[in-house]
Amino acid sequence: MKKKIFSLILVTGLLSLNACKDALEYTPTGVLSSSDLTSPTAIDGLVTSAYAAIGNGDMIGPIYSNWVYGSVRSDDAYKGGGGTGDVGEIDALEHYNLVTPTMGSFVTRTWQNLFKSISRCNVALRAVNTLSETSYPNKKIRLAELRFLRAHSYFTMKLLYKNIPIFDETATEADILKVSNTLSNDESWNKIAADFQFAVDNLPANQAEIGRANKVAAQAYLAKLKLYQAYEQDNNHKVTTINKTRLQEVVNLTQAVISSGKYSLSNDIADNFVPETENGPESIFAIQFTINDGTTAGRLSFEDGLNYPHGAPQYGCCGFHAPSQNLVNAHATDENGLPKFDTFNTGNVDLTSATVDPRLDHTVGIDGHPYKYDNTKPFSNSWVRDAGVYGNFHSMRFQQLATSGSYFKLGPFMGTAKNYDILRYDDILLIQAEAYIELGQQDKALPIINQIRKRASESTGRLKKADGTFASKYNVKQYSATGWTQDFARKALQWERRLEFATEGARFFDLVRWGIAEPTLNAYINVEKTKRTYLTTAKFTAGRDEYLPIPQAEITFTNGLYKQNPGY
């Protein structure tokens, strides 16, 4: 696998991160401070280090893979692994029973890792601002890149915790200790949006080096933010109204992305999940990872490292992130090739006879079906770690074959150099379609959703078994304009988003944005617990479980300046 320009390795440990103490202060040992780095070359290193930071999460403090926070907490997947006690905090999250997170836990470490990435941006921003444009011609572009990266991390924090402290590079350590997390929802969205807008205004449309943010990526991210902001919530997370002005901003921004001509759907959805086609036409912004770059293990993504088939001899660990029966059922189609909106979950789909959406076999490891496009080693139920608790399905989108040049095994855990897409063109298309539907212009959404469905129907080239036949019976058709009301279009859009991003960690946040998390997830639990008895005590509580708790250690450290989220 070729080494990318953005290896993001050489300066990973260069800087001292100035922020408030404890979680907001991160000072690696044996490093240089920003005051030692004053040349344009050194400051470019600080910018590169800020890029590196958005990929510096870990398996217990993830900051880009949302398999725990967005997939397991939704109706897409179960925790998996070796029973409910194996990494029990994820089990608590799946049951919506994580009330008092402790230091070192997922929720706390994710908070810390995100603030480390924000601190790196702020250190680099201060350093860039010490130079003139004469001595540093790329000054404005680098400032815009850094604000894009900072906004990305704040956006992630906002989705996870909602009520977060926000500060910029001008804040001193003393200032930071006075910043609370009690901004109104709209105010905090606006602060993050200001960074993306600066990036839109100051980034070029094209960057010479792969991996750098550009103007169109900033427009795409701002559109995504505006969509979330449009669904206005009260203090108890209830969606009270959908702001039409924000929706029109979403339409305008996504149209700018589409009209740029820079991006398009890949011919096969599989191209988004294999390293050979990364940085392709659908990838708008991605975290860049590497292997064979001169270091021991490369710069690899380990956040999905628990999620390989446990019993497969080529992997051996750890069996987490098992797709739910509900998700598998949701892929079934009727005789017209359309989803079974109202009846999909009345019984378990018979995969030997029912017709399904091809995206099922891009997402779920199923007995006898090719696993990750390798028909020489079909998935086997013997690979499943704890079928008695979690069933026989296994996740697949973010896993790579052991024979892949991007794959690396470090002890029992797996890492990969496959890039991690933060923004894809399919997301932008469906964001625009959603805005049109909520504006009452659902007729404009119809061809967009059908474009996604057409690509899905054609994404079968890698799905054949060794004998040349398909393991599943595929039948996906496009929607007709007849009966395409706003209510029906909304249902179709929500279904399409689920299948298009299944197990990618978007589902939970979509449900919260739409204001339907509580009814959807409790209905899911009520059926699923009859199949998976460990879910008997699970219950989603509206007004609490839409967001994670603020880590108690942070509230204690700030002497109560940070306020806990409702219900915790």
Side-chain angles (χ1 to χ4, degrees):
M1 183 177 182
K2 73 173 185 177
K3 188 188 301 182
K4 300 184 184 68
I5 294 171
F6 258 71
S7 65
L8 304 181
I9 296 167
L10 299 179
V11 295
T12 298
L14 285 178
L15 65 158
S16 171
L17 302 172
N18 298 318
C20 78
K21 296 177 182 177
D22 201 55
L24 303 188
E25 181 176 342
Y26 174 62
T27 309
T29 57
V31 298
L32 299 173
S33 69
S34 57
S35 62
D36 297 314
L37 300 167
T38 56
S39 72
T41 300
I43 287 176
D44 259 344
L46 288 175
V47 177
T48 302
S49 188
Y51 273 98
I54 66 170
N56 278 358
D58 55 65
M59 285 186 287
I60 305 178
I63 59 174
Y64 55 86
S65 170
N66 272 313
W67 76 268
V68 172
Y69 301 129
S71 187
V72 171
R73 279 203 298 164
S74 78
D75 46 3
D76 270 9
Y78 318 125
K79 175 181 76 70
T84 58
D86 189 6
V87 192
E89 186 177 333
I90 307 178
D91 182 72
L93 285 163
E94 186 176 6
H95 281 76
Y96 313 108
N97 192 33
L98 187 71
V99 179
T100 55
T102 57
M103 181 61 69
S105 66
F106 269 79
V107 170
T108 298
R109 282 176 64 161
T110 292
W111 176 284
Q112 293 170 342
N113 286 336
L114 284 164
F115 264 120
K116 289 174 186 179
S117 66
I118 290 164
S119 293
R120 284 202 184 186
C121 290
N122 284 338
V123 167
L125 281 162
R126 287 193 289 270
V128 171
N129 275 318
T130 64
L131 300 181
S132 67
E133 288 193 53
T134 301
S135 62
Y136 192 46
N138 285 330
K139 177 177 180 177
K140 193 166 287 186
I141 293 173
R142 297 294 180 257
L143 289 174
E145 289 178 49
L146 289 166
R147 291 186 66 172
F148 175 96
L149 295 172
R150 182 172 66 189
H152 158 72
S153 293
Y154 273 133
F155 178 86
T156 303
M157 290 199 77
K158 182 81 173 152
L159 293 190
L160 293 173
Y161 304 95
K162 185 178 181 179
N163 297 308
I164 59 173
I166 298 177
F167 50 87
D168 63 19
E169 73 278 9
T170 65
T172 65
E173 185 173 313
D175 293 334
I176 291 170
L177 291 172
K178 298 175 184 176
V179 177
S180 74
N181 69 330
T182 56
L183 283 172
S184 73
N185 204 34
D186 214 43
E187 286 176 314
S188 56
W189 279 129
N190 284 338
K191 280 182 174 289
I192 302 169
D195 273 352
F196 282 134
Q197 187 62 58
F198 184 89
V200 170
D201 294 339
N202 293 283
L203 284 174
N206 298 292
Q207 294 263 38
E209 294 172 301
I210 293 173
R212 292 194 185 274
N214 61 44
K215 178 186 183 73
V216 185
Q219 289 170 319
Y221 220 144
L222 184 57
K224 190 165 188 173
L225 181 149
K226 295 288 186 181
L227 182 68
Y228 275 89
Q229 189 178 15
Y231 291 81
E232 297 178 356
Q233 298 179 355
D234 64 18
N235 291 336
N236 291 312
H237 318 322
K238 182 179 179 180
V239 175
T240 57
T241 188
I242 304 177
N243 188 305
K244 298 296 192 289
T245 300
R246 300 286 186 211
L247 291 175
Q248 189 57 53
E249 291 180 284
V250 172
V251 168
N252 295 343
L253 286 161
T254 52
Q255 193 55 44
V257 175
I258 295 166
S259 299
S260 73
K262 286 178 60 66
Y263 306 103
S264 62
L265 291 178
S266 300
N267 292 330
D268 191 325
I269 194 173
D271 290 343
N272 294 314
F273 309 118
V274 291
E276 293 79 10
T277 46
E278 63 186 11
N279 293 322
E282 200 161 342
S283 178
I284 295 176
F285 181 73
I287 301 172
Q288 306 286 312
F289 291 102
T290 63
I291 198 168
N292 299 328
D293 52 21
T295 62
T296 301
R299 174 168 172 76
L300 301 174
S301 169
F302 281 99
E303 287 196 7
D304 293 291
L306 295 173
N307 302 343
Y308 282 79
H310 189 75
Q314 63 267 41
Y315 299 121
C317 190
C318 292
F320 284 76
H321 198 200
S324 69
Q325 183 66 58
N326 182 288
L327 176 65
V328 172
N329 291 345
H331 285 81
T333 58
D334 64 18
E335 63 277 10
N336 298 312
L338 300 178
K340 298 181 176 182
F341 293 128
D342 300 319
T343 61
F344 81 101
N345 207 37
T346 55
N348 294 346
V349 60
D350 183 348
L351 295 176
T352 65
S353 60
T355 59
V356 297
D357 189 304
R359 285 172 287 192
L360 175 67
D361 285 322
H362 293 275
T363 306
V364 182
I366 300 169
D367 190 48
H369 294 221
Y371 185 76
K372 199 62 185 184
Y373 316 123
D374 182 1
N375 59 22
T376 68
K377 297 183 183 69
F379 188 83
S380 169
N381 284 346
S382 66
W383 296 6
V384 176
R385 185 174 182 184
D386 198 338
V389 177
Y390 298 112
N392 283 310
F393 300 126
H394 206 284
S395 61
M396 189 164 59
R397 287 198 176 187
F398 290 124
Q399 281 60 64
Q400 298 301 325
L401 295 174
T403 54
S404 170
S406 70
Y407 174 87
F408 187 89
K409 189 168 185 180
L410 186 64
F413 304 119
M414 274 62 72
T416 175
K418 166 70 175 69
N419 291 348
Y420 204 98
D421 285 313
I422 300 299
L423 288 168
R424 289 205 313 260
Y425 189 69
D426 53 353
D427 195 11
I428 296 308
L429 289 178
L430 291 176
I431 284 172
Q432 184 177 80
E434 183 174 335
Y436 276 137
I437 290 166
E438 297 306 332
L439 284 168
Q441 301 172 33
Q442 59 271 10
D443 56 318
K444 295 181 179 179
L446 177 59
I448 299 172
I449 294 174
N450 278 340
Q451 185 180 351
I452 297 290
R453 291 186 66 77
K454 181 175 184 293
R455 195 270 293 273
S457 71
E458 296 170 350
S459 294
T460 59
R462 292 180 171 94
L463 302 182
K464 289 182 179 179
K465 297 192 297 182
D467 64 4
T469 65
F470 292 110
S472 301
K473 297 179 179 180
Y474 304 125
N475 184 22
V476 173
K477 297 293 190 297
Q478 298 176 38
Y479 291 105
S480 167
T482 303
W484 188 256
T485 64
Q486 184 182 42
D487 286 344
F488 187 88
R490 183 182 295 117
K491 185 181 294 187
L493 178 279
Q494 293 176 355
W495 207 273
E496 208 63 33
R497 282 198 64 87
R498 186 180 190 188
L499 300 194
E500 186 70 7
F501 308 112
T503 71
E504 293 188 45
R507 176 66 171 169
F508 181 84
F509 306 108
D510 283 346
L511 293 174
V512 171
R513 180 177 73 254
W514 297 327
I516 61 172
E518 187 275 330
T520 301
L521 295 177
N522 282 331
Y524 155 75
I525 291 166
N526 286 339
V527 174
E528 213 74 5
K529 69 185 179 183
T530 66
K531 307 167 186 177
R532 309 283 180 251
T533 56
Y534 80 96
L535 286 171
T536 300
T537 60
K539 181 182 178 182
F540 185 97
T541 300
R544 182 190 71 185
D545 294 328
E546 291 88 350
Y547 296 93
L548 298 174
I550 306 302
Q552 187 59 46
E554 308 306 320
I555 295 173
T556 301
F557 175 73
T558 60
N559 295 316
L561 179 64
Y562 293 173
K563 303 303 179 184
Q564 186 54 274
N565 281 333
Y568 290 103

